[in-house]
């Protein structure tokens, strides 16, 4: 009876236990490294798009200025 009570009181595996076990084996570090690299790539892509939009806006302003200068 006492042994059954102790079994019930012992914590079972949970998400945190699995988390720390994976972290200890290096799997978590690999996952975090992939996530960081993915975020870096996304940030670079966002910056490329932003730069492209700035170039398009600059070109549009240049065309508008040319049109105003030539009275079109």
């Amino acid at each position: 009876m006492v042994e059954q009570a102790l079994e019930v009181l012992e914590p079972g595996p949970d998400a945190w236990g699995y988390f720390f076990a994976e972290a200890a084996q290096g799997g978590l570090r690999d996952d975090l490294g992939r996530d960081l690299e993915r975020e870096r790539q996304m940030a670079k892509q966002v910056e490329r798009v932003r730069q492209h939009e700035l170039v398009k806006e600059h070109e549009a302003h240049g065309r508008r200025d040319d049109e105003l200068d030539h009275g079109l």
Side-chain angles (χ1 to χ4, degrees):
M1 178 79 126
V2 173
E3 291 176 10
Q4 290 176 333
L6 289 177
E7 287 178 14
V8 172
L9 294 176
E10 290 179 7
D14 62 0
W16 284 113
Y18 292 125
F19 174 82
F20 288 115
E22 185 176 343
Q25 295 175 358
L28 181 62
R29 181 177 55 242
D30 294 342
D31 289 345
L32 292 175
R34 280 191 296 272
D35 290 346
L36 287 173
E37 183 59 29
R38 190 175 303 126
E39 286 180 22
R40 277 190 216 109
Q41 293 299 325
M42 287 174 28
K44 286 179 183 178
Q45 179 64 25
V46 166
E47 181 60 21
R48 282 192 295 267
V49 169
R50 188 181 78 79
Q51 290 294 325
H52 182 70
E53 292 295 323
L54 287 174
V55 167
K56 286 177 20 179
E57 184 178 330
H58 180 72
E59 289 173 349
H61 285 291
R63 282 191 301 274
R64 190 191 79 220
D65 290 344
D66 287 346
E67 290 171 355
L68 291 174
D69 288 344
H70 291 75
L72 297 174

